[in-house]
Amino acid sequence: MAEEQDKTQNQEAPEEVSQEAPVETPEAAEAEPSLEAQLEAARQEAADAKEQALRAAAEAQNARRRAEKDAENARKFALEKFAGDMLAVVDNLDRALASADRENDTLKPVLEGVELTLKAMVDALARHNVEQIDPTGEPFNPEFHEAMAMVPNPNVEPNTVIDVMQKGYTLNGRLLRAAMVVVAKGA
């Protein structure tokens, strides 16, 4: 009889196991996403996260480049106001030499000193990338020249600079002061 009970229990056990196993119905399959759908969703999330990371890295690199460019421009053009103020000194030294009486022997040492001072000032400005614009004989360029007058002159092409009233200057290629010029006009 003990053997019969064991057989009965063994027969009952598989029934219990089969009762515990979940039965998948079509409604349950629709309610829960399939593994493939979950995998595809995870892949999409990973691709989105990768794209966001790439965009953030590109934005950080762009910000770094802008900061480097701003720092470089600050270094290049830090002297802009100071150089602009020094141009008045150069102009005054030029005017002093232009108006001086070169025939007077007593003024020759003073004129020499003014010439040397002017040369030293122009050289100092040049060492800091301040360059003179002396456009005599060149075509008029409104980016670097300011026309003060137009004079008919049949000997030169129209729109050619024939006289410079005040020299212009650039600082590292950027216009610091436009040259004031007289331009030839056509007949």
Side-chain angles (χ1 to χ4, degrees):
M1 188 146 147
E3 288 178 14
E4 286 180 24
Q5 283 180 349
D6 285 338
K7 285 182 183 177
T8 311
Q9 285 177 355
N10 286 342
Q11 288 175 354
E12 291 176 7
E15 289 176 15
E16 289 176 11
V17 171
S18 64
Q19 288 176 355
E20 289 178 10
V23 177
E24 197 169 305
T25 62
E27 293 109 20
E30 289 176 13
E32 231 180 89
S34 69
L35 289 176
E36 288 178 10
Q38 289 177 349
L39 178 62
E40 186 58 36
R43 284 182 179 158
Q44 185 62 39
E45 279 185 42
D48 291 345
K50 183 178 180 181
E51 185 178 336
Q52 279 183 328
L54 288 173
R55 287 180 188 266
E59 190 173 319
Q61 186 176 17
N62 288 341
R64 190 185 83 247
R65 284 183 187 154
R66 275 191 304 272
E68 286 173 358
K69 185 178 178 184
D70 290 346
E72 181 182 338
N73 282 343
R75 253 190 336 275
K76 279 174 126 177
F77 303 111
L79 294 176
E80 189 169 11
K81 289 183 180 181
F82 177 74
D85 290 343
M86 292 299 104
L87 297 182
V89 175
V90 171
D91 291 340
N92 288 334
L93 291 172
D94 266 339
R95 287 185 201 111
L97 288 174
S99 66
D101 180 16
R102 296 199 177 264
E103 300 301 318
N104 188 342
D105 288 337
T106 58
L107 289 180
K108 283 191 180 183
V110 173
L111 290 176
E112 243 179 68
V114 172
E115 286 173 352
L116 291 173
T117 304
L118 175 61
K119 184 182 179 328
M121 179 67 98
V122 170
D123 290 347
L125 289 171
R127 279 193 303 276
H128 295 285
N129 299 318
V130 177
E131 301 294 328
Q132 278 187 351
I133 301 173
D134 190 0
T136 305
E138 296 178 6
F140 177 74
N141 181 352
E143 291 180 20
F144 295 104
H145 311 146
E146 184 178 344
M148 301 309 290
M150 291 189 77
V151 177
N153 189 338
N155 299 333
V156 294
E157 293 278 327
N159 292 327
T160 300
V161 176
I162 55 174
D163 190 23
V164 177
M165 298 170 83
Q166 185 178 47
K167 292 178 185 169
Y169 292 86
T170 60
L171 173 62
N172 290 314
R174 181 193 287 178
L175 185 66
L176 192 57
R177 182 179 79 189
M180 293 181 180
V181 297
V182 177
V183 181
K185 73 176 179 179

